[in-house]
Amino acid sequence: MDLNTVRQVKSPLSADEIADWPAGHAWLSGGTWLMSEPQPGIDTLVDLFGFGWPALVASEEGLEIAATATIGALAEFPAPPDWTAAPLLRACAHALLMSFKVADVATVGGNICMSLPAGAMVSLTVALEATYVLWPRSGAPRTVAAIDFVTGNHANVLGPGELLRAVHIPAAALKRRFALRRASLTKLGRSAALLIGTSGPKGDMLLTITAATPRPVQLRFAAMPGAEEVQAALAAAIPADDWFDDVNGTPAYKRHLTLHFAEEIRAELAAGGRDA
């Protein structure tokens, strides 16, 4: 799309070159959302390409994902063999409503900062207990837990001009067993519900609910719970009026999917789950 309100594109080599943040500025990464619809409030794009951040860096501590890493690159990342939850990288990338051409341009950070209920990069990073490094335009960098970043539909904790620099997924989370369930009204449609459960060597369970709710909801159980315990925890964590209502499904439909998928995930992990 021709963004006819844009008057300039800045191409800094570091974030330090952008000290102020007037109204009308927007960071440009993959640009797949920016270019998909009119942006009448934007007159200046600030391109992140020149920052040259390494896209994906694996270490003993885990996986560091630059905000500018493409979703396609993340899906194809060759993870260490003991990262049993690494298939979630590809599964969540494929949960997004996009072609392979878009996936090779769209960025992990862009999907997170859009903060849509069906943003699968949010689902992935919350489920794997990630932290985000944020760079404000003034002041020191800050770290935010992924579960605390999204505050509602298309809303998050970013301040004006604040930049998502990187995502860190700890190795311990990547070594957990996992189970994923997802539903959409159409085969290649946007998620109506996306649930991910993980379990560690001590038999605990972490259940993450996304797409069905405006922001991620996470339930942690110290030991593998029973079916009734999970259902009761879901009822307590998500009030009747807190299910997301949009064209991808009614609140009642999304609640039904969530309760059903939660039990499937619990049963799979309790039975030994999947190791790859």
Side-chain angles (χ1 to χ4, degrees):
M1 173 167 289
D2 181 14
L3 301 182
N4 56 20
T5 60
V6 172
R7 297 291 178 260
Q8 62 176 331
V9 177
K10 296 183 177 182
S11 301
L13 297 180
S14 76
D16 294 336
E17 297 179 32
I18 308 297
D20 56 353
W21 197 260
H25 276 46
W27 294 110
L28 172 64
S29 188
T32 53
W33 175 75
L34 277 173
M35 305 297 177
S36 70
E37 59 183 65
Q39 306 290 345
I42 295 176
D43 58 37
T44 301
L45 297 177
V46 185
D47 193 354
L48 300 177
F49 180 78
F51 292 2
W53 297 332
L56 301 162
V57 179
S59 69
E60 292 183 357
E61 286 70 41
L63 179 63
E64 193 85 5
I65 307 170
T68 49
T70 66
I71 292 172
L74 183 65
E76 299 301 323
F77 176 70
D82 61 338
W83 287 7
T84 50
L88 282 172
L89 306 180
R90 177 185 287 269
C92 287
H94 288 178
L96 290 163
L97 179 58
M98 62 172 63
S99 70
F100 71 91
K101 295 179 181 179
V102 173
D104 287 339
V105 177
T107 61
V108 174
N111 187 257
I112 290 171
C113 291
M114 279 292 291
S115 301
L116 298 176
M121 294 297 98
V122 175
S123 308
L124 170 72
T125 54
V126 171
L128 292 180
E129 304 174 76
T131 54
Y132 302 159
V133 177
L134 309 181
W135 283 1
R137 297 282 44 79
S138 61
R142 61 183 180 129
T143 300
V144 174
I147 184 63
D148 297 326
F149 181 80
V150 176
T151 57
N153 177 28
H154 201 28
N156 56 49
V157 301
L158 287 172
E162 193 166 24
L163 181 62
L164 172 60
R165 165 60 184 90
V167 176
H168 175 73
I169 301 177
L174 287 160
K175 293 177 181 179
R176 292 166 66 87
R177 294 184 294 110
F178 75 92
L180 178 148
R181 296 293 188 277
R182 172 182 177 268
S184 171
L185 291 178
T186 61
K187 183 177 180 180
L188 299 176
R190 182 172 290 183
S191 299
L194 198 167
L195 278 69
I196 299 172
T198 66
S199 182
K202 294 183 179 181
D204 65 312
M205 187 176 88
L206 184 65
L207 180 64
T208 302
I209 300 98
T210 57
T213 52
R215 56 162 293 169
V217 173
Q218 199 164 59
L219 304 175
R220 189 182 296 272
F221 303 90
M224 188 59 61
E228 292 183 358
E229 184 180 354
V230 172
Q231 300 297 304
L234 283 168
I238 309 174
D241 60 352
D242 211 21
W243 297 95
F244 189 54
D245 187 4
D246 69 351
V247 297
N248 301 296
T250 65
Y253 173 66
K254 293 179 179 181
R255 178 181 180 276
H256 171 77
L257 289 175
T258 299
L259 297 180
H260 178 71
F261 287 159
E263 172 51 22
E264 286 194 344
I265 287 171
R266 185 207 65 80
E268 181 177 323
L269 292 174
R274 56 198 300 175
D275 296 318

